[in-house]
Amino acid sequence: MKKKINAVQFGLGPIGQLCAKTILQKHSERINLVGAVDIDPSKVGKELGELLGIDKTGIEVESDIKNILKKKKVDLVFHTTTSFMSDVRKQLIDLIKLKLNIVSSTEELFFPRYRNREIAEEIDNLAKKFKVRVLGTGVNPGFVMDVLPSVLTQVCTSVKRIRVERVVNASKRRLPLQLKIGAGLKVSEFKEKKATGRFGHIGLVESLQFLAYVLNIQLDEIKEELDPIVTYKNLRTDYLTIQKGRVAGIHHRAIGFKDGNEVIELDLKMFIGDHRDYDAVYIDGEPPIKMKILNGVFGDTATVGSLINCGYLIFNAKPGLLTMADIGLPHGFFSQK
Amino acid sequence: MKKKINAVQFGLGPIGQLCAKTILQKHSERINLVGAVDIDPSKVGKELGELLGIDKTGIEVESDIKNILKKKKVDLVFHTTTSFMSDVRKQLIDLIKLKLNIVSSTEELFFPRYRNREIAEEIDNLAKKFKVRVLGTGVNPGFVMDVLPSVLTQVCTSVKRIRVERVVNASKRRLPLQLKIGAGLKVSEFKEKKATGRFGHIGLVESLQFLAYVLNIQLDEIKEELDPIVTYKNLRTDYLTIQKGRVAGIHHRAIGFKDGNEVIELDLKMFIGDHRDYDAVYIDGEPPIKMKILNGVFGDTATVGSLINCGYLIFNAKPGLLTMADIGLPHGFFSQK
């Protein structure tokens, strides 16, 4: 395989911490973690191992990546800060100007060329100028509702319609995710949040646009629907108590139309309850395909898996703002750890 | 998308005929079929449409592709002749020297660098010299037991073991396939056929070697097991009557070992009976993944789907002998036909 990569973890929220820990514990043969960055004053200056609850790492959390670059050569940044392009624009531009390749969990970065066209073009141009690669990936967007259904069509002589379902039981997930899906809200509060345009699952439309792009579908229209899933019994998680009649989570759909027909439907349910997780892809084509992942793909681990594996694979691609269709066959790596 | 490709169908057995027909009926927007070749005297000189049972195509079956090249520019050959590298070596070399890109259903060509190293190197060198791409693909090998499990590991932070199962009910498949799996043989005859080394599913070890290559596993040993599945009741298909005690099909396994552990297991059952088809991938890793394709992926159509889709995608790659890890994200194309 290729040479070892020097990487920095940028952002030490729950996903960033899991990413750093996983690199150190499982991927040290391929990836050498040489630094970690966060803006939170309670984290800056701390020994990374202490923050992660593992052995000493010799890495101290920095507030500014430039302090790391003075001492170390860095090839790649694992960027895990926020979901929206407008919020990460400056972070990405600064990293690109430092000639750093970036793999990011920012959901809107997964396929930004339509809904964030201007920022996407700016980043693409800069990345080409500074000869670095920038990729947004994860599990959703990044795998379940976009990459996986794309690959399943490899064997189809025709593809007429694709439907993807993801059902996530958020009961065992971390608190920020439970809050992200509105768990515990009144229905009226849910509607207010929805009106901000920054609520619900981020990246669903980007997954749909990626699928349409890969399969060469010129969509006429995209509809998005976001509804609360209301619980009819009292629910409890480690963090929350949810009374009946309140919101248990979201039902979020994105539908792509072509010539008046629904040709892509992405249907996501994330809620607290006692249901089982699963992912399913249904392809109406020749041959028809009905795929199911039993018990689903566990989100946090899988997001980190995508980041680490694709972080390694982006060096297959030419510089620029990349998509998951640009890095070759996506895959992971054997590891007994 | 890219420009339209001019293609020739090379080999007009059942898969070649289905491939030609599918291109003409469903993919004419992207692929322009300009010729068809077979050595069978009963096919040569025939109008292709007549042979395929469709409308006139304006294509007459030729015995020599050079007759087509005199009149038409050809970018790509759909090569569907036989399963073994030693049998197709000369065909491929001749086509490469004519500067033709090739996508082929030859099972051993899917990943020939170990079991057919010499021929593979010869073809790779020639393909580079004549600046053409050569790829072996299909459904199995080509998708179910190699490409699909590879892609499923994209989200895994560790991969400890992979098991793939494919169960095919051959009752509704074409006669050559029923004969290929030994249906109707006595167990003693099955053993004699097995001893020739040219019996069973071709390509199983190649799928395993591809998976090991992609996931970066240095296997210590590969074991292959081929056993008859014997029927305990009388069976009938459209073509065959199989008495109880005779062979209904094959159970073919390939197992890859690393440090004494089974790390990859491919388990294929193809037999006549009343069971349901399915494909399943089990990844022992983080997160664990249990994927099932209900009712399986129908082989003939899917082989042709892979050939046509990947035939279009190979132009993403540099010249040489390619694998499915070289052509970008594998996928199909939207088509209402």
Side-chain angles (χ1 to χ4, degrees), chain B residues 29 37 46 58 70 80 155 177 251 259 266 276 292 305 318:
Chain B
E29 279 170 41
V37 176
K46 264 203 177 165
K70 279 177 203 158
T80 54
V155 292
L177 188 121
H251 182 193
D259 304 330
L266 306 185
R276 280 218 175 173
K292 206 154 179 181
K318 287 180 195 153

Coordinates of all heavy atoms in Angstrom, one line a residue, chain B residues 29 37 46 58 70 80 155 177 251 259 266 276 292 305 318:
Chain B
E29 N -28.6 5.3 -26.1 CA -28.2 6.8 -25.9 C -26.7 6.9 -25.6 O -26.1 7.9 -25.9 CB -28.9 7.3 -24.7 CG -30.4 7.8 -25.0 CD -31.1 8.1 -23.7 OE1 -30.5 8.8 -22.8 OE2 -32.3 7.7 -23.6
V37 N -19.7 -10.3 -33.5 CA -18.7 -11.3 -34.0 C -19.0 -12.6 -33.4 O -19.3 -12.7 -32.2 CB -17.3 -10.9 -33.7 CG1 -16.3 -12.0 -34.1 CG2 -16.9 -9.6 -34.4
K46 N -25.7 -13.9 -40.5 CA -27.1 -13.6 -40.1 C -27.3 -12.1 -39.7 O -26.4 -11.5 -39.2 CB -27.5 -14.4 -38.9 CG -28.2 -15.7 -39.3 CD -29.1 -16.2 -38.1 CE -29.8 -17.5 -38.5 NZ -30.4 -18.2 -37.4
G58 N -29.5 -3.8 -38.9 CA -28.5 -3.3 -39.8 C -27.2 -3.9 -39.6 O -26.2 -3.5 -40.2
K70 N -12.9 -2.1 -40.8 CA -12.7 -1.5 -42.1 C -13.7 -0.4 -42.3 O -13.5 0.6 -42.9 CB -12.9 -2.5 -43.2 CG -11.6 -3.4 -43.4 CD -11.9 -4.4 -44.5 CE -11.0 -5.6 -44.4 NZ -11.5 -6.8 -45.0
T80 N -17.5 -11.9 -24.7 CA -18.2 -12.9 -23.9 C -18.0 -14.2 -24.6 O -18.8 -14.7 -25.4 CB -19.7 -12.6 -23.9 OG1 -20.2 -12.4 -25.2 CG2 -20.0 -11.3 -23.1
V155 N -17.5 1.8 5.8 CA -17.8 2.5 7.1 C -17.3 1.8 8.3 O -17.6 2.1 9.4 CB -19.4 2.5 7.2 CG1 -20.0 3.5 6.2 CG2 -20.0 1.1 7.1
L177 N -26.1 -23.4 -17.8 CA -25.7 -23.2 -16.4 C -26.1 -24.4 -15.6 O -25.4 -24.9 -14.7 CB -26.4 -22.0 -15.9 CG -26.0 -21.6 -14.5 CD1 -25.4 -20.2 -14.4 CD2 -27.0 -21.8 -13.4
H251 N -21.8 -27.1 -4.1 CA -21.5 -26.3 -3.0 C -20.0 -26.0 -3.1 O -19.2 -26.9 -2.9 CB -21.8 -27.0 -1.7 CG -21.6 -26.2 -0.5 ND1 -21.6 -26.7 0.8 CD2 -21.4 -24.9 -0.3 CE1 -21.3 -25.8 1.7 NE2 -21.2 -24.6 1.0
D259 N -2.6 -15.8 9.6 CA -2.2 -16.2 10.9 C -3.0 -17.3 11.5 O -3.4 -17.3 12.7 CB -2.2 -15.0 11.9 CG -1.4 -13.8 11.4 OD1 -0.4 -14.1 10.7 OD2 -1.7 -12.7 11.6
L266 N -15.9 -17.4 1.3 CA -16.9 -17.2 0.3 C -17.6 -18.6 0.1 O -17.0 -19.6 -0.1 CB -16.3 -16.8 -1.1 CG -15.4 -15.6 -1.0 CD1 -14.9 -15.2 -2.4 CD2 -16.1 -14.4 -0.4
R276 N -35.2 -20.5 -2.0 CA -35.2 -19.2 -2.5 C -33.7 -18.7 -2.7 O -32.9 -19.0 -1.9 CB -35.8 -18.2 -1.4 CG -37.3 -18.2 -1.4 CD -37.7 -16.8 -1.1 NE -39.2 -16.8 -1.3 CZ -39.9 -15.7 -1.0 NH1 -39.3 -14.6 -0.5 NH2 -41.2 -15.7 -1.2
K292 N -28.3 -8.4 3.5 CA -28.9 -9.5 2.8 C -29.6 -8.9 1.5 O -30.2 -7.8 1.6 CB -30.0 -10.2 3.7 CG -30.2 -11.6 3.3 CD -30.7 -12.4 4.4 CE -31.0 -13.8 4.0 NZ -31.5 -14.7 5.0
G305 N -25.6 -6.4 -17.0 CA -25.6 -5.1 -16.4 C -24.2 -4.6 -16.0 O -23.8 -3.5 -16.4
K318 N -6.8 4.6 -16.5 CA -5.7 4.6 -17.4 C -5.6 3.3 -18.2 O -6.0 2.2 -17.6 CB -4.4 4.8 -16.6 CG -4.2 6.3 -16.1 CD -3.0 6.4 -15.3 CE -3.0 7.7 -14.5 NZ -2.1 7.6 -13.3

